Amino acid sequence: MAFRAPVSEFTFLCEHVVDFDKVAATEMFAEATPDTVEAVLTEVGRLSEEVFAPLQRNGDLDPARLENGVVRTSRGFAEGFRAFADGGWMGLSGPAEYGGMGLPITLTSALNDMLSASCLSLGLNPLLTQGQIEALEHHANDEMKALYLPKLLSGEWTGTMNLTEPQAGSDVGALRSRAEPKGDGTYAISGQKIFISWGDHDFGGNVCHAVLARLPDAAPGTRGISLFMVPKYLVNPDGSLGDANSLRVVSLEHKLGLHGSPTCVMEYDGATGWLIGEEHKGMAAMFTMMNNARLNVGIQGVGVAEGAYQAALAYASDRKQGRTPLEGKPGGTGSIVDHADVRRMLATMKADVFASRAIALACAVALDMQKATGEAEWSARAAFLTPIAKAFGTETGICVAETGLQVHGGMGFIEETGAAQYSRDVRVTSIYEGTNGIQAMDLVARKMMDGGEMAYALLDEIETCAEQARDRMPELGEPVWQATETLREATEWMVAQGDLNDRFAGSMPYLMGFARVLGGYYHLKAAMAEAETDGPRTRLARFYIKRLLPQHQSYLAEAVEGAADLYALSVEELSA
């Protein structure tokens, strides 16, 4: 099956659903004209179809391997990455003063979506470098920016982030890596890091590691953590590469999926590092990378969902199995796509891909508006949407990939079809960059420290749209309005809880309920933008609103139950 980049879908979303016109109207992003957007999306689509998609199976069948201390990547990956870098795509949203294009994050989000759909293992590499670029842009001194940003933006060098240690996963404050001042402005970094995606490769250039470590006088917990730039090769003042640094890849992790992406155990043995930002302020800089990554990981989920959906649709359209209800009738194909349950699965996949993609792009638009205007409202909106985009995008990727296996039937369990690879590759996305449970806890705690102000602002926006839709399409507008009221009541309950554990107990179903309602909102906007009175987008919106939106009721009923019943069974009773 040939992958088809959903360029027209991004164009429609930008023009009619996620308010990208506001971004293009700012002085900062005035160059993001419709012609420019169309040209960027078209070229990225061609790259994903012609370069990345043919590498998808290579990454799974010819995985990265460690040979004599050198990471050898999957067949064709080095050439695929070079095509990406030579096109200037690493710097799509990077600062123009260091060689980037300075275009909106929304376009980079579309790029990451299409690369993830075509080959997630390789598409993960640019995502990490993009995050490091943003961290350096916000926190590094001018000398470090001038030395590293042009190389990273060109794709000549790549970046990583090193947080996790064997004893310190989500609890970053438990890390033990050390940083000793050397007296010359540099630091000796020692320690071991695990789960370092693309910690090394054979693409050439330098691999620039952003490493969290503790100074000798550091306070315990996250308050005592600093961030350091520790390159694979030392960098001379003119930007040329010097001697190898004192670091190495100990081993590659053996993973469920993403076999083409080398996930490294890294060891630093007095490696030379340079401070990024201020001493003991490393978490602020690292969170710049992580927040960038959280949105992009959600987008990875959406991208894989797109790839899995296209594979399932192609298979269902070709596979003939028994007599179908549309046999010999107009529109009938004689293939399993005519069966009601197969049609239900495919429609669910398509509807949820649209909903999760719209949420992610709406978040990206908010980030662009925050950058262009500096307005606090856009900052709060982006912060609120980020955990929803990450969690719902990855949950969608997992569910759509699993449904794709079901559409394939027994052939989905056979590796030769490639259907199982989507499921294996996407599974980690709900775990890394903060598990989805952590995203949900962040949503109901930190993101509601404003008393729910941003949540209520979004609900008011959705209800305004639903009220406008009532006259033209009441069967769609009314259910969205009612769902928003139910979500408002659940939000009021969340805000009223003084015991955060009661919020946490229902945080994941609350997040999923909020995402369901947002999905209904964006489907409704799509239907309202359609010229036809009952066109394909309206029919897809009707499917989502009638069949999937009602799930918000069960999610939100669970969300407001509190924590008591979770602890009613003791650990001993759970073990009985």
Side-chain angles (χ1 to χ4, degrees):
M1 181 212 73
F3 171 73
R4 179 179 55 82
V7 172
S8 61
E9 192 77 345
F10 288 110
T11 302
F12 178 85
L13 282 161
C14 286
E15 291 180 352
H16 301 292
V17 178
V18 298
D19 297 328
F20 182 75
D21 57 313
K22 294 179 180 178
V23 176
T26 65
E27 182 178 354
M28 177 175 286
F29 296 121
E31 292 185 9
T33 63
D35 287 346
T36 298
V37 171
E38 187 67 25
V40 167
L41 293 176
T42 298
E43 287 305 311
V44 171
R46 183 177 294 114
L47 177 74
S48 65
E49 291 175 351
E50 298 178 1
V51 178
F52 272 54
L55 301 175
Q56 165 80 343
R57 294 298 287 152
N58 291 1
D60 201 47
L61 301 176
D62 178 28
R65 59 198 183 279
L66 183 63
E67 294 180 347
N68 299 319
V70 178
V71 172
R72 304 296 183 189
T73 56
S74 303
R75 178 168 44 88
F77 271 34
E79 292 80 5
F81 179 82
R82 189 48 48 204
F84 167 85
D86 288 349
W89 299 116
M90 190 75 83
L92 182 59
S93 297
E97 59 267 38
Y98 295 104
M101 298 186 199
L103 288 169
I105 293 168
T106 305
L107 295 184
T108 295
S109 297
L111 175 147
N112 288 330
D113 186 322
M114 286 189 270
L115 297 188
S116 299
S118 52
C119 184
L120 180 60
S121 285
L122 182 54
L124 176 56
N125 183 300
L127 183 149
L128 295 160
T129 305
Q130 291 162 9
Q132 190 175 105
I133 288 167
E134 187 166 359
L136 293 177
E137 185 182 1
H138 285 87
H139 300 282
N141 59 37
D142 290 342
E143 182 181 2
M144 184 177 288
K145 289 179 185 178
L147 200 57
Y148 283 87
L149 283 178
K151 302 286 190 179
L152 292 168
L153 286 163
S154 69
E156 183 178 345
W157 297 352
T158 61
T160 73
M161 53 178 160
N162 286 231
L163 292 79
T164 309
E165 298 179 7
Q167 79 293 340
S170 299
D171 182 12
V172 180
L175 68 83
R176 297 172 186 159
S177 293
R178 305 181 313 280
E180 298 281 347
K182 296 170 68 173
D184 60 356
T186 66
Y187 299 79
I189 311 300
S190 298
Q192 188 176 92
K193 299 288 184 177
I194 63 173
F195 302 158
I196 308 307
S197 298
W198 283 97
D200 195 29
H201 53 71
D202 53 2
F203 297 170
N206 210 353
V207 182
C208 306
H209 300 285
V211 182
L212 288 178
R214 292 186 183 284
L215 291 165
D217 61 344
T222 56
R223 291 179 302 147
I225 295 174
S226 301
L227 183 64
F228 301 88
M229 173 63 76
V230 189
K232 177 180 178 179
Y233 296 104
L234 299 177
V235 181
N236 296 318
D238 63 358
S240 62
L241 298 183
D243 295 335
N245 210 343
S246 300
L247 57 88
R248 69 187 182 99
V249 179
V250 176
S251 62
L252 299 186
E253 307 285 7
H254 300 284
K255 301 173 295 185
L256 175 68
L258 287 180
H259 297 150
S261 168
T263 302
C264 304
V265 176
M266 300 293 303
E267 183 174 83
Y268 298 87
D269 185 14
T272 301
W274 288 261
L275 186 68
I276 299 174
E278 300 178 33
E279 291 186 353
H280 314 309
K281 302 291 185 183
M283 287 306 294
M286 185 57 77
F287 266 115
T288 299
M289 288 187 71
M290 289 180 68
N291 283 330
N292 174 292
R294 282 172 175 169
L295 171 58
N296 282 323
V297 169
I299 289 167
Q300 286 182 328
V302 179
V304 174
E306 175 71 45
Y309 167 68
Q310 288 193 23
L313 177 61
Y315 181 83
S317 299
D318 184 63
R319 174 71 166 169
K320 296 184 184 297
Q321 191 81 358
R323 184 174 177 81
T324 74
L326 299 183
E327 197 91 14
K329 298 180 181 179
T333 67
S335 64
I336 64 170
V337 74
D338 290 347
H339 289 295
D341 190 58
V342 174
R343 191 68 64 94
R344 174 193 63 81
M345 289 189 285
L346 292 168
T348 299
M349 296 164 83
K350 185 175 180 64
D352 266 348
V353 169
F354 179 90
S356 56
R357 178 174 284 142
I359 291 171
L361 290 183
C363 183
V365 164
L367 287 169
D368 284 325
M369 291 302 294
Q370 170 194 342
K371 186 173 183 178
T373 68
E375 294 176 2
E377 182 179 352
W378 286 110
S379 177
R381 184 185 181 98
F384 191 89
L385 288 174
T386 294
I388 300 175
K390 192 276 183 182
F392 187 65
T394 58
E395 293 291 334
T396 295
I398 292 168
C399 290
V400 168
E402 285 293 306
T403 304
L405 285 173
Q406 190 69 19
V407 172
H408 278 80
M411 295 305 295
F413 204 66
I414 305 301
E415 287 289 355
E416 283 78 2
T417 64
Q421 182 183 346
Y422 291 110
S423 186
R424 290 185 286 101
D425 284 355
V426 78
R427 187 60 188 85
V428 72
T429 60
S430 67
I431 298 171
Y432 62 22
E433 303 311 330
T435 66
N436 286 356
I438 289 174
Q439 304 301 319
M441 292 167 69
D442 176 55
L443 178 67
V444 302
R446 187 185 301 272
K447 301 304 163 55
M448 287 190 175
M449 290 175 65
D450 61 359
E453 183 178 341
M454 179 46 60
Y456 294 136
L458 282 167
L459 298 180
D460 291 343
E461 180 182 310
I462 297 170
E463 286 191 344
T464 298
C465 176
E467 288 168 358
Q468 293 171 350
R470 275 171 163 166
D471 291 338
R472 177 180 163 190
M473 44 185 66
E475 64 168 340
L476 303 184
E478 183 63 27
V480 172
W481 193 93
Q482 293 292 347
T484 309
E485 279 298 289
T486 304
L487 179 54
R488 187 183 298 276
E489 292 171 4
T491 303
E492 291 169 349
W493 183 91
M494 282 287 174
V495 171
Q497 303 313 300
D499 185 345
L500 280 180
N501 209 36
D502 283 328
R503 296 193 197 185
F504 293 157
S507 59
M508 192 63 199
Y510 176 78
L511 182 150
M512 292 298 290
F514 211 118
R516 272 280 166 250
V517 175
L518 281 171
Y521 170 45
Y522 293 126
H523 270 289
L524 183 61
K525 289 187 74 173
M528 292 174 68
E530 192 165 44
E532 302 175 59
T533 56
D534 191 28
R537 294 192 181 277
T538 302
R539 294 194 290 273
L540 186 64
R542 184 179 298 114
F543 174 88
Y544 182 96
I545 290 169
K546 295 292 187 181
R547 290 178 178 262
L548 303 183
L549 178 60
Q551 293 174 3
H552 82 280
Q553 295 173 316
S554 59
Y555 282 132
L556 298 178
E558 182 184 359
V560 300
E561 276 300 304
D565 63 335
L566 299 183
Y567 299 94
L569 284 170
S570 67
V571 175
E572 291 76 13
E573 288 168 331
L574 288 172
S575 302

